[in-house]
Amino acid sequence: MEKLAEVILIPSPAMGHVAQMLELAKLFLSRNPQLSITVLIMKLPDYIDAVSGPFVDSVAASSSSGRLRFFELTAADPTPEWSSKTRGHFVYRLVQSQKSHIREFLISQRPGNNKLAGFVVDMLCTPLMDVAGEFGIPIYVLFTSPAAFLGLMLHFQFLEDECCQDVSNFNNSDSSSLLSFPSYACPIPPTVLPMVLVDRDTWLGRFLDFARGYRKAKGIIINTFAELEIHALDAYNNNNNMSRSEQEPLPLIYPIGPILNQSKSRSESEEAETTNWLDEQPLNSVVLICFGSQGSLQAEQVKEIAIALENIGCRFLWSLRRPPQSNNAQFPGEYTTYSEILPQGFLGRTEKKGKVVGWVPQLKVLSHEAIGGFVSHCGWNSILESIWFGVPIATWPLHSEQQVNAFQLVKEVGVAVEITLDYCERNKDQPMITAEAIKKGIMKLMETNSPVRDKAKEMKEKSRGSIMEGGSSYLSLGKLIDELLNNAAL
Ligand code: UDP
């Protein structure tokens, strides 16, 4: 039998990461019959995240084939320490715990005798690069956030390691000042710098380590497209303050997006309730409100949104999820009844115009012609999905790198209006976003004729063009696949 070039993929378990990696697997296979893929799966326990594990199982059940295999790594045994800090800390511990299992897999459990072409590790799984390195396998990183954020991570790590600068000091900058960073076209207010890059106690050390890992990769695959992030990709390719250029060239980058999560996370019948309701709504009339797989808001903040929606009187589809209740690493869950959290009588009064749900089939919803705008936490997947369907965004970041994504969308790309750019769920002094500010943002978002809506339509066309034959991402993926085949000497 003909030997294939085998690529081993290691996704990070959270939804916004694992879904992209699974789509990358499908993309590789559909583009080249000489590739074979093994996905090494690590799962979050159900008490941490009840969504991503079943999602991966259903994708594995429906898409395994001769060329696409899933291998579930031995379940980890989390200690209370894993849950003591943040979701990111839990994931990090889980990733570290898998080193020996991956080594074992490579030594004795890898089926078949295909030629190894490369390892692709998620941007949060760089601790596993050492293991792949032991086997001399070329390693690639899948970067599931914007290229601008990759540039920021590398720049900050460069400042720390090469210029002896304490980047956490950016956090103390005068809040009315503006800071210039190579990968962003517009100067940035310090308030939108993500905590993951300025909070030394909780995140910074880990993120600097991730960035050190990226430099060791043979290539960095980014879920973005050239037309969306022209400035950031130029800054990277010109190595603008991201490394000592001569001595340490940066790895090649492959912008191959948008990679959209096409797999279902819920059954047809669960989805039908929402889509049937959308079918009855007028064109472009509904605002979708959704804060991603990890987003939830406290009761008082939920009430402000409810007041805003009632005041505006617009149609809405609101994905309302319950904040984690028992430990710091938990993901949000579902309410048993929404009346426990919403203002009294809200559901009855808005019955004709709105629908409150839990987890939504977001991609399908965004594709629906009734949707006219998206209040989003600005996770990168959600942004790419919204752009793909030409739906303008109103920004409400919560965590990770979302504040700086929101800034990029509003100030640089022009597909979003601002509700808030610097909301941060972990900021103990975070002020409430008032009903008035939410109303203002949603009304601007839903304007029929606006530069933001026009820009969203323009970017929709560009995103689709990028993955068509001859498009920027199509060509970039082709180069990556040629390199993988070359690695395997096929
Ligand atoms: N998602 C969904 N329904 C929900 C919440 C999220 O389908 O109710 C999907 C969304 O379409 C996206 C992913 O989960 O593909 C969330 O990724 P993103 O990067 O936007 O945010 P994260 O969850 O990582 O914060």
Side-chain angles (χ1 to χ4, degrees):
M1 209 169 83
E2 189 198 6
K3 277 197 181 164
L4 301 174
E6 183 172 354
V7 185
I8 296 178
L9 307 185
I10 308 188
S12 175
M15 192 69 181
H17 293 257
V18 68
Q20 286 192 37
M21 193 68 96
L22 298 180
E23 292 298 326
L24 177 66
K26 294 186 210 160
L27 200 56
F28 276 149
L29 295 181
S30 67
R31 270 293 283 273
N32 195 295
Q34 288 178 287
L35 290 175
S36 151
I37 307 289
T38 301
V39 188
L40 300 187
I41 297 294
M42 53 186 122
K43 281 192 190 154
L44 288 167
D46 271 0
Y47 67 86
I48 295 290
D49 174 15
V51 176
S52 57
F55 168 76
V56 171
D57 286 341
S58 82
V59 175
S62 63
S63 53
S64 293
S65 69
R67 288 200 297 137
L68 175 58
R69 284 174 298 218
F70 293 83
F71 184 88
E72 192 167 335
L73 295 162
T74 307
D77 192 9
T79 67
E81 194 276 333
W82 291 25
S83 299
S84 64
K85 295 182 181 160
T86 59
R87 294 180 292 256
H89 178 73
F90 191 102
V91 170
Y92 191 64
R93 286 277 184 258
L94 174 61
V95 168
Q96 284 176 319
S97 77
Q98 294 301 332
K99 280 187 177 185
S100 57
H101 299 145
I102 291 181
R103 192 174 289 114
E104 218 171 283
F105 168 82
L106 288 170
I107 293 173
S108 55
Q109 293 164 316
R110 193 168 73 87
N113 61 349
N114 287 328
K115 291 189 153 191
L116 278 176
F119 240 103
V120 181
V121 298
D122 179 86
M123 64 184 277
L124 304 182
C125 295
T126 56
L128 301 175
M129 291 172 79
D130 290 349
V131 184
E134 290 167 19
F135 294 81
I137 307 166
I139 305 165
Y140 299 80
V141 169
L142 173 64
F143 200 79
T144 59
S145 288
F149 184 62
L150 169 66
L152 192 63
M153 284 180 74
L154 290 168
H155 178 61
F156 271 36
Q157 182 251 318
F158 172 73
L159 294 179
E160 282 262 332
D161 292 356
E162 304 295 338
C163 310
C164 301
Q165 195 174 327
D166 179 351
V167 294
S168 65
N169 284 335
F170 283 125
N171 213 14
N172 306 324
S173 315
D174 171 4
S175 61
S176 62
S177 63
L178 289 173
L179 305 167
S180 287
F181 297 113
S183 58
Y184 291 87
C186 305
I188 293 181
T191 49
V192 308
L193 281 178
M195 268 196 168
V196 294
L197 289 188
V198 287
D199 184 313
R200 193 169 291 280
D201 293 342
T202 315
W203 290 280
L204 180 60
R206 201 159 70 231
F207 274 73
L208 293 174
D209 263 349
F210 291 144
R212 290 180 192 113
Y214 305 157
R215 295 180 191 281
K216 298 185 205 151
K218 184 158 187 198
I220 302 178
I221 306 163
I222 315 184
N223 187 9
T224 191
F225 56 102
E227 296 78 358
L228 178 63
E229 294 206 82
I230 301 167
H231 179 88
L233 294 170
D234 275 355
Y236 185 97
N237 288 325
N238 295 326
N239 192 351
N240 188 354
N241 272 320
M242 291 176 205
S243 79
R244 289 174 297 153
S245 24
E246 303 286 290
Q247 296 105 308
E248 289 171 36
L250 294 166
L252 282 178
I253 41 171
Y254 298 92
I256 63 164
I259 306 170
L260 303 177
N261 176 14
Q262 314 275 1
S263 307
K264 284 191 190 319
S265 47
R266 288 285 189 276
S267 69
E268 282 288 344
S269 57
E270 284 169 309
E271 290 187 354
E273 197 200 323
T274 302
T275 48
N276 291 347
W277 179 80
L278 282 173
D279 288 344
E280 289 159 17
Q281 311 308 315
L283 192 72
N284 285 340
S285 68
V286 177
V287 58
L288 168 67
I289 304 167
C290 182
F291 294 94
S293 63
Q294 302 184 38
S296 59
L297 296 166
Q298 296 304 323
E300 302 74 40
Q301 189 59 83
V302 167
K303 292 209 168 70
E304 294 297 309
I305 298 182
I307 296 169
L309 289 172
E310 270 201 86
N311 282 348
I312 310 168
C314 68
R315 291 171 202 272
F316 63 86
L317 176 63
W318 184 2
S319 163
L320 179 56
R321 304 189 70 224
R322 185 172 48 75
Q325 296 194 310
S326 60
N327 76 46
N328 288 330
Q330 240 186 357
F331 286 53
E334 307 299 338
Y335 286 106
T336 35
T337 137
Y338 298 111
S339 47
E340 68 182 91
I341 180 85
L342 290 165
Q344 213 178 6
F346 173 86
L347 289 171
R349 291 191 299 275
T350 56
E351 196 180 26
K352 294 213 166 64
K353 291 205 156 172
K355 192 165 177 60
V356 181
V357 294
W359 181 269
V360 277
Q362 187 175 289
L363 193 74
K364 198 160 187 183
V365 166
L366 284 168
S367 75
H368 201 288
E369 53 183 20
I371 296 293
F374 181 17
V375 175
S376 170
H377 72 310
C378 299
W380 191 236
N381 291 284
S382 296
I383 291 171
L384 292 174
E385 290 165 9
S386 209
I387 286 178
W388 182 258
F389 293 110
V391 177
I393 293 170
T395 60
W396 189 328
L398 297 180
H399 57 88
S400 308
E401 89 293 13
Q402 292 152 14
Q403 293 81 13
V404 84
N405 294 354
F407 175 85
Q408 190 182 359
L409 287 190
V410 173
K411 307 286 181 193
E412 201 174 315
V413 186
V415 295
V417 299
E418 166 183 347
I419 292 178
T420 159
L421 294 180
D422 57 11
Y423 188 98
C424 178
E425 66 177 14
R426 296 273 179 175
N427 176 359
K428 289 187 193 71
D429 306 318
Q430 176 60 55
M432 190 86 69
I433 307 297
T434 61
E436 201 43 44
I438 300 166
K439 178 179 169 183
K440 206 168 138 211
I442 294 182
M443 288 183 67
K444 197 160 176 213
L445 171 72
M446 297 304 281
E447 281 170 14
T448 343
N449 296 311
S450 69
V452 163
R453 193 169 294 282
D454 291 346
K455 193 71 190 181
K457 282 191 196 129
E458 180 192 325
M459 291 316 295
K460 167 183 171 178
E461 298 313 321
K462 289 187 169 162
S463 71
R464 287 163 187 247
S466 71
I467 61 161
M468 280 165 60
E469 195 167 345
S472 59
S473 293
Y474 182 94
L475 295 174
S476 194
L477 178 62
K479 276 192 204 141
L480 173 62
I481 291 175
D482 286 348
E483 190 173 300
L484 289 168
L485 296 176
N486 204 29
N487 292 343
L490 284 188

